[in-house]
Each structure stands twice: as structure tokens, then as C-alpha cells.
Amino acid sequence: MSTLVNVDGLIAAQREFAAARHWQPFHTPRNLMLALTGEVGELAEIFQWKTDAEAANLAANPAEYTHLQEELADVLMYLVRLADVTGVDLNAAVADKLQKNARKYPADGSRALG
Amino acid sequence: MSTLVNVDGLIAAQREFAAARHWQPFHTPRNLMLALTGEVGELAEIFQWKTDAEAANLAANPAEYTHLQEELADVLMYLVRLADVTGVDLNAAVADKLQKNARKYPADGSRALG
Amino acid sequence: MSTLVNVDGLIAAQREFAAARHWQPFHTPRNLMLALTGEVGELAEIFQWKTDAEAANLAANPAEYTHLQEELADVLMYLVRLADVTGVDLNAAVADKLQKNARKYPADGSRALG
Amino acid sequence: MSTLVNVDGLIAAQREFAAARHWQPFHTPRNLMLALTGEVGELAEIFQWKTDAEAANLAANPAEYTHLQEELADVLMYLVRLADVTGVDLNAAVADKLQKNARKYPADGSRALG
């Protein structure tokens, strides 16, 4: 199987970052889940008053692009850290889920949305 | 700079999956943001009635581990797809954010949490 | 000041419901926060693939209306329960916030969005 | 049936507030859903690094209490506004849901959590 996601570098960077600040005791699964929720909220705020056209063109505005990039990173970083502390291999998780989705939504004629 | 995250494989797989089902028109940034919120909710439900000890030991129960793995994958997949349709490079985004965090939370004595 | 929200009946009903099932130990602020997140996710799923026009006309479809009504109720119920266990008076909270918003967004000419 | 929730005052105040600022066109169901998600994220941030004991004692700290009160109000205000623009009666919604929950979780001996 080819690699779908490789987050080894980020896992290592976050472990080192947390250890250097003695933050490991705070990085429990439930704390990280709440922190992830907070960052998803900040990401949602970017889109809340935008039309679909505006949302699709965020990258054209450097300040908005930087903001979007930062919030996407925050969500990804807490997600990867949560997977790390709960012992989940995200590459295997994604590979499994793609297979399940392929069975659930066959390509031939399916139009239903998940 | 070393690679922190590489999600090229997943980006390609999701583009192909959406194209084969004619789903691209539905994969607008705002739709994907709402779908991401939905999956974050399903992930939160896993942790809602758990003690910290139970949450930390989810991997010991095969059924719970499979469920956790699946919800983490769902969040990651919508997050990567949202980054793709908005044109954000997640590896660069994460690298930038780690640098900002390192300036914001110096390792020498800092105990404040982000 | 007139009453903006009165949730006394729901507070009492939820206390009685939890007590009759010995659920009080589970209704900690953090557990309820995660449960609220789960229900917000289910609410978001209703809107995720809808156009704005479809979203505005959900009430016209009885099955969709019932689903929407149920998810709105779930969010409200966890929110009211969270306020109850943390000792927050929602009517006073809303009155204060409306005053702050009136100062932050003056009506004369303001077009900025919160 | 006794009244479980009465949010008529808040509905009226929010309609007036939005009208005075010409915000009605922005208050679509999907925009309000995203705004609600943003506020839920801010509420979650209050609890993210707290122990259960700290979370249960937020009211003892005036600054933290004010913050908590404000975020609870924000979530409630967007939820009530979302119900208003989609035509959902929250009192009826809550009454229906309490009845469903009573059937789903009988009080005699049930310990399962929703």
C-alpha cells in the first residue's frame, strides 16, 4: 500500500515541543479533544459570514490566506497529537476508511452523499 | 526543512474518489467546514462520558479502538480535503505554526498553555 | 428588565431526569461540554450538503423538520444543563451580552459583523 | 403542558438587533450554524486545560465566571436565532425530546448513558 499520510515529522516535533515545556501532563485525550474543538471553532469563524464565492477565493487575499493557513494548522496539530497520545496510526486509519467508503459509496452511479 | 506532514497521497485519493462520484460540486469550502464539524462531534462523543483513565486506555478495547480510529480518520480526511479546495499547503502551514508557537511559548521556564 | 429567556422548567426537568437515573456523577462540566460538542456536530450535519435555499426551507419537509427540531433541542438541553451545573443564570448572561453587543456594534451605520 | 423554555424575549430582541443593523441577509441558517460552531469552540477553550475540580469551581473566580457566562450566552443566542430563522419552536422541541428520552432511558434501573 502506498503512503496516504505521513505525519511522523509532526508527531516528533510535537512530542519534543511538549516535553521541553513540561506540557505532557496536560496533553490528555480529553484535554486535546476540547482544544481541537476550540480550534475547529476558530476555523469555522473564517467561513461564517462568507458567501460560497468568497470562501472559495480566500487564498487571493494574503491576510485571509495566512489566517486560514494558521487555523488549518492548529486543527491538524491537535488532531495529530490526539492520535499520538491515543496510539492511533493515522495512515492506517485513513487507508481503512477509504476502503470502507469505497464499499459504502460505489462509484457506478452512486450520487448519495456521506 | 524536513517534512513534517505529507498528505499528497490522501489528497490524490480524495480527488479521485470525489471525481468518480461527481461530488466535486458539493465539496465547497463551507460544505466541507460543516462536514468537518459533524465529524469532530462524532469524535467528541467517544470521549464524553469517559474518565481520563478510560480515555487514555481506549486502544486496549478493539471495538473502541476501531471506532476511535475511524472518527480520527474522518476528521483528517475532511480537513485535508478542505485544505486542498482552499489551496493551502498543510506542510508549510504546520511549519509556520510551529515556528510561531516556539516564539510565543519559549521553552525556558514557560508553563503557560496555548 | 423584561425576561429574555426563562429556562427554569427545563432546568428542573433535567435535574429530575438525571437524578432518577443516577446520572449526576456523569454530568460534570467537561463531560457536558463534550456532549454539547457532539450534538452541535449532529446539527451541523443537517446543513452540510444543503444549499442556502434548501437550508431555509427545511421546515417544509416534515421528516427534515423533525430531525432539525430534535438536534436543536439536544444542543439546547446540554447547554442549559451545563449552565446549571456551573451555576450560570442564562437570562442574566444574555441580558449582559446584548448590552455589550449594543455598545460594540452601534446601530447607526455599523455594518461590521460579529 | 407547563412551559419548559420561553425564549420569546430573546427572539424579539435579536430580530430587532439584526434589523437595526441590516444584518438579516447574513443571518441564513448555514451562516448561523457556522457562527454557532465558532462560539462552541470558544466555550470549549474555557474547559480545555482545566481539571474536573477546576471546571466545577469556575464560578468562584469572578473573571472566569464572567468569561463563562459570556460564552454560554453567545452559544444560546446563535442557537435561538438559528431556531427562529428555521421556524422551530424550541419549547415544543424540548418537550418532544424529553418524552423521547424518557422512553429511551427508562428510570427503573437504566444506567446507560445517551
Side-chain angles (χ1 to χ4, degrees):
Chain A
M1 187 186 71
S2 64
T3 302
L4 292 161
V5 294
N6 183 334
V7 291
D8 292 347
L10 180 55
I11 290 172
Q14 290 192 291
R15 285 182 187 176
E16 186 183 346
F17 197 92
R21 284 152 190 82
H22 310 287
W23 284 359
Q24 299 107 321
F26 297 99
H27 284 192
T28 63
R30 284 162 54 94
N31 283 9
L32 293 166
M33 181 68 233
L34 288 167
L36 174 64
T37 302
E39 297 302 338
V40 169
E42 293 186 30
L43 186 60
E45 284 177 19
I46 292 179
F47 297 102
Q48 66 193 2
W49 307 125
K50 297 268 190 299
T51 63
D52 285 330
E54 289 167 346
N57 283 297
L58 279 172
N61 179 311
E64 298 215 55
Y65 181 83
T66 299
H67 185 194
L68 173 60
Q69 173 183 270
E70 191 161 346
E71 300 306 340
L72 286 167
D74 281 336
V75 175
L76 181 58
M77 287 165 68
Y78 278 123
L79 187 70
V80 167
R81 185 75 175 138
L82 176 56
D84 187 25
V85 304
T86 54
V88 171
D89 175 337
L90 284 173
N91 187 54
V94 164
D96 282 1
K97 199 62 209 291
L98 282 174
Q99 287 190 332
K100 283 182 191 168
N101 284 350
R103 286 194 298 270
K104 188 174 176 184
Y105 304 104
D108 52 341
S110 167
R111 299 297 292 272
L113 277 167
Chain B
M1 187 187 70
S2 63
T3 302
L4 292 161
V5 294
N6 183 335
V7 291
D8 292 348
L10 180 56
I11 290 172
Q14 291 193 290
R15 285 182 186 176
E16 186 183 345
F17 196 92
R21 285 152 189 82
H22 311 287
W23 284 358
Q24 300 107 322
F26 297 99
H27 284 192
T28 63
R30 284 162 55 93
N31 284 9
L32 293 167
M33 182 67 233
L34 288 167
L36 174 64
T37 301
E39 297 300 338
V40 169
E42 293 187 29
L43 186 60
E45 284 177 18
I46 292 179
F47 297 102
Q48 65 193 4
W49 308 125
K50 296 269 191 299
T51 63
D52 284 330
E54 288 167 346
N57 283 296
L58 280 171
N61 179 311
E64 299 215 55
Y65 181 82
T66 299
H67 185 194
L68 174 61
Q69 173 184 271
E70 191 161 346
E71 299 306 340
L72 286 167
D74 281 336
V75 175
L76 181 58
M77 287 164 68
Y78 277 123
L79 187 71
V80 166
R81 185 76 174 136
L82 176 56
D84 186 25
V85 303
T86 54
V88 170
D89 176 337
L90 284 174
N91 187 54
V94 164
D96 282 2
K97 199 61 209 292
L98 282 175
Q99 288 191 332
K100 282 182 193 169
N101 283 350
R103 286 194 298 271
K104 188 175 176 183
Y105 305 104
D108 51 341
S110 168
R111 298 297 292 272
L113 280 167
Chain C
M1 187 187 71
S2 63
T3 302
L4 292 161
V5 295
N6 183 335
V7 292
D8 292 347
L10 180 56
I11 289 172
Q14 290 192 291
R15 285 182 187 176
E16 187 183 345
F17 196 92
R21 285 151 189 81
H22 310 287
W23 284 358
Q24 298 108 321
F26 297 100
H27 284 192
T28 63
R30 284 162 53 94
N31 283 11
L32 293 167
M33 181 68 233
L34 288 166
L36 174 64
T37 302
E39 297 300 339
V40 169
E42 294 186 31
L43 186 60
E45 284 177 19
I46 292 179
F47 298 101
Q48 66 193 4
W49 308 124
K50 297 269 190 299
T51 63
D52 285 330
E54 289 166 344
N57 284 296
L58 279 172
N61 179 311
E64 299 215 56
Y65 181 82
T66 298
H67 184 195
L68 173 61
Q69 174 184 268
E70 191 161 348
E71 299 306 339
L72 286 167
D74 280 337
V75 176
L76 181 58
M77 287 165 68
Y78 277 123
L79 187 70
V80 167
R81 185 76 175 139
L82 176 56
D84 186 26
V85 304
T86 55
V88 171
D89 176 336
L90 284 174
N91 187 54
V94 164
D96 282 1
K97 199 63 209 289
L98 282 175
Q99 287 192 332
K100 282 183 192 167
N101 283 351
R103 286 194 298 272
K104 188 174 176 185
Y105 305 104
D108 52 341
S110 167
R111 299 298 293 272
L113 279 166
Chain D
M1 186 186 72
S2 64
T3 302
L4 292 161
V5 295
N6 183 334
V7 292
D8 292 348
L10 181 55
I11 290 172
Q14 289 191 290
R15 285 182 186 175
E16 187 183 345
F17 196 93
R21 285 153 190 81
H22 311 286
W23 284 359
Q24 299 108 321
F26 296 100
H27 284 191
T28 62
R30 284 162 53 94
N31 283 10
L32 293 167
M33 181 69 233
L34 288 165
L36 174 63
T37 302
E39 297 301 339
V40 169
E42 293 186 32
L43 185 60
E45 284 177 19
I46 292 179
F47 297 102
Q48 66 193 2
W49 308 125
K50 296 269 190 299
T51 63
D52 285 330
E54 289 166 346
N57 284 295
L58 280 171
N61 179 312
E64 299 213 56
Y65 181 82
T66 299
H67 185 194
L68 173 60
Q69 173 183 269
E70 192 160 346
E71 299 307 339
L72 286 166
D74 281 337
V75 175
L76 180 58
M77 288 165 68
Y78 277 123
L79 187 69
V80 167
R81 185 76 174 138
L82 176 57
D84 187 26
V85 304
T86 55
V88 170
D89 176 336
L90 285 174
N91 187 54
V94 164
D96 282 1
K97 199 61 209 291
L98 282 174
Q99 287 191 332
K100 282 182 192 167
N101 284 350
R103 286 194 298 270
K104 188 173 175 184
Y105 305 104
D108 51 341
S110 167
R111 300 298 293 272
L113 279 167

